[in-house]
Amino acid sequence: MNEITSSMAGTVLNIMVGSGDEITSGQEVLMIESMKMEIPIESQIEGKVSEVKVNIGDFVNEGDVLLVLE
């Protein structure tokens, strides 16, 4: 199982992918607000999204799982 994790603590502003979407390495998948800055989260791997683990407005910590890929 492959996972995409948060690179920093912040609030989820936008989720650009959903369950069943195919994503590529380098693709922006989420936007997090941290210290009044918008930080894009990019996938480091390719695959199909099997589960989105967060919702818009959720606070996440560094290392939290955001997406699970098949």
Side-chain angles (χ1 to χ4, degrees), residues 16-27:
M16 290 96 148
V17 297
S19 185
D21 289 352
E22 292 282 342
I23 61 173
T24 60
S25 181
Q27 179 178 341

Side-chain angles (χ1 to χ4, degrees), residues 5-63:
T5 59
S6 180
S7 57
M8 64 178 45
T11 303
V12 178
L13 286 181
N14 193 10
I15 302 170
M16 290 96 148
V17 297
S19 185
D21 289 352
E22 292 282 342
I23 61 173
T24 60
S25 181
Q27 179 178 341
E28 290 185 6
V29 294
L30 277 101
M31 186 71 66
I32 290 179
E33 179 183 17
S34 181
M35 299 178 290
K36 298 185 180 185
M37 295 175 53
E38 293 184 3
I39 312 295
I41 303 297
E42 296 179 353
S43 175
Q44 301 301 314
I45 53 178
E46 296 182 359
K48 185 176 183 178
V49 178
S50 63
E51 185 179 4
V52 179
K53 303 283 276 181
V54 295
N55 295 302
I56 293 174
D58 287 355
F59 183 83
V60 295
N61 289 301
E62 183 177 349

